[in-house]
Amino acid sequence: MLDQWLFVGIFVSIAAVFPLLPLVMARFLAPRKPNRIKQETYECGIETVGDTWVQFKIQYYVYALVFLIFDIETVFLYPWAVSFDVLPLFAVFEGVLFILILAAGLFYAWRKGALEWS
Amino acid sequence: MTPIQLVFLFVAFATLWAAFMVVTRNNLVHAALFLVIALFGVAVLFVMLEAGFLAVIQVLVYIGAIAILMIFAVMLTRGDVDDIPDITNRYAGWVGLVAVLFFSSLVILMAQWPSFTALAKPILSSRDTIVELGTALVSPNGYVIPFEVASVMLLAALIGALVVARPRKGK
């Protein structure tokens, strides 16, 4: 059983090494002549304004909360989806009902303008 | 030593190290990022215990949602993340000593229990467990009512969160 996870492990290891490799290589290969302008934070080519550790707008929090609810929904839908091919038809519709009830929540959020950036 | 044991030791030490970093960082954002490593280590331990479903949930919910929510909360509430007073307690040494004593006495006490070293019975392969779980969740003889109630509860949580987080009118 663990053999199946071996591939996931290899995948995760490659995913971890892949972005680190250029950084490590640059550290050893790239010539370094720092000056004040080079050391500045890069932000789309424009000079950064103010401190980077600023307080974020509270509107992001609503998105995070809505995302959290739908993430928890996945916990219930994941076993349902895996056993999809052995389930009778009415059991499939129970899952659909589950999604529809939560879709009502999404509809509510949409109508209340929570998904709009004001 | 088998490769599995080596992987276990590496993951266990990485998890403990990350957990230690979480409680010693002054910068809360860094602490939250180390928490992600610790949670991921726990997910790998779940995999090694052949609890595939729990591992998936650990990554999906704890890393994907809870850790992100914590980082959001830190970035939203603190005006200046760097401006944090020293978090070390002057009784830290004594607390550490008591914690070590408590933990070791617990382990010694639990080691007296006869089935402490017993191995768990082999269970179904991970996919079969998830299929069983999925079937039980939606079967009328199983947990279909709690399943649908969970949906309604999530709906209530969603609406409640929106009502609380929405800006009041006229402010």
Side-chain angles (χ1 to χ4, degrees):
Chain A
M1 212 299 292
L2 275 175
D3 298 349
Q4 298 168 355
W5 287 94
L6 186 65
F7 294 104
V8 180
I10 294 169
F11 200 76
V12 169
S13 314
I14 292 174
V17 168
F18 198 73
L20 283 176
L21 199 66
L23 292 175
V24 174
M25 271 165 66
R27 190 172 176 82
F28 286 109
L29 294 179
R32 252 182 295 169
K33 294 189 194 102
N35 63 36
R36 207 176 60 80
I37 296 172
K38 274 188 193 171
Q39 292 288 333
E40 273 178 14
T41 314
Y42 180 78
E43 189 187 320
C44 307
I46 306 168
E47 280 179 46
T48 54
V49 179
D51 194 15
T52 322
W53 293 102
V54 289
Q55 193 169 5
F56 278 66
K57 275 190 89 172
I58 194 73
Q59 275 179 316
Y60 286 107
Y61 200 60
V62 180
Y63 286 92
L65 283 174
V66 174
F67 163 69
L68 184 74
I69 301 289
F70 285 100
D71 205 55
I72 303 297
E73 180 193 344
T74 336
V75 176
F76 293 96
L77 287 182
Y78 167 55
W80 172 73
V82 171
S83 54
F84 192 79
D85 50 351
V86 296
L87 288 177
L89 189 65
F90 71 92
V92 172
F93 277 107
E94 278 160 13
V96 173
L97 181 67
F98 184 92
I99 298 171
L100 281 178
I101 292 173
L102 274 159
L106 186 64
F107 186 70
Y108 174 84
W110 178 37
R111 289 305 300 271
K112 284 287 172 186
L115 304 178
E116 276 164 41
W117 195 259
S118 55
Chain B
M1 199 182 280
T2 61
I4 295 275
Q5 283 171 319
L6 274 178
V7 171
F8 170 76
L9 280 179
F10 174 75
V11 172
F13 274 111
T15 308
L16 286 176
W17 168 77
F20 180 75
M21 295 298 265
V22 171
V23 290
T24 50
R25 291 307 91 186
N26 277 335
N27 189 320
L28 279 175
V29 176
H30 293 171
L33 292 176
F34 275 112
L35 184 67
V36 171
I37 299 180
L39 291 173
F40 186 76
V42 174
V44 177
L45 293 181
F46 275 140
V47 166
M48 301 186 77
L49 291 169
E50 312 221 346
F53 182 67
L54 284 181
V56 170
I57 297 310
Q58 178 84 8
V59 171
L60 206 66
V61 174
Y62 280 87
I63 299 178
I66 305 284
I68 300 302
L69 198 68
M70 281 172 120
I71 294 172
F72 262 66
V74 171
M75 295 203 313
L76 289 168
T77 49
R78 286 206 176 264
D80 193 354
V81 184
D82 270 335
D83 182 29
I84 296 158
D86 193 20
I87 55 162
T88 46
N89 193 312
R90 66 197 167 103
Y91 300 114
W94 286 106
V95 172
L97 185 71
V98 169
V100 168
L101 279 177
F102 183 66
F103 178 73
S104 43
S105 46
L106 261 187
V107 169
I108 291 166
L109 274 176
M110 279 167 70
Q112 321 251 321
W113 186 41
S115 20
F116 183 68
T117 49
L119 289 172
K121 274 179 235 151
I123 47 164
L124 300 164
S125 79
S126 199
R127 189 170 187 279
D128 290 345
T129 352
I130 295 171
V131 170
E132 291 240 323
L133 186 63
T135 323
L137 265 182
V138 285
S139 87
N141 305 322
Y143 301 97
V144 65
I145 300 291
F147 179 70
E148 299 298 346
V149 166
S151 173
V152 175
M153 214 184 72
L154 284 173
L155 178 68
L158 177 63
I159 293 174
L162 287 174
V163 168
V164 170
R166 217 156 40 94
R168 305 272 190 287
K169 282 199 180 91
K171 277 188 190 172

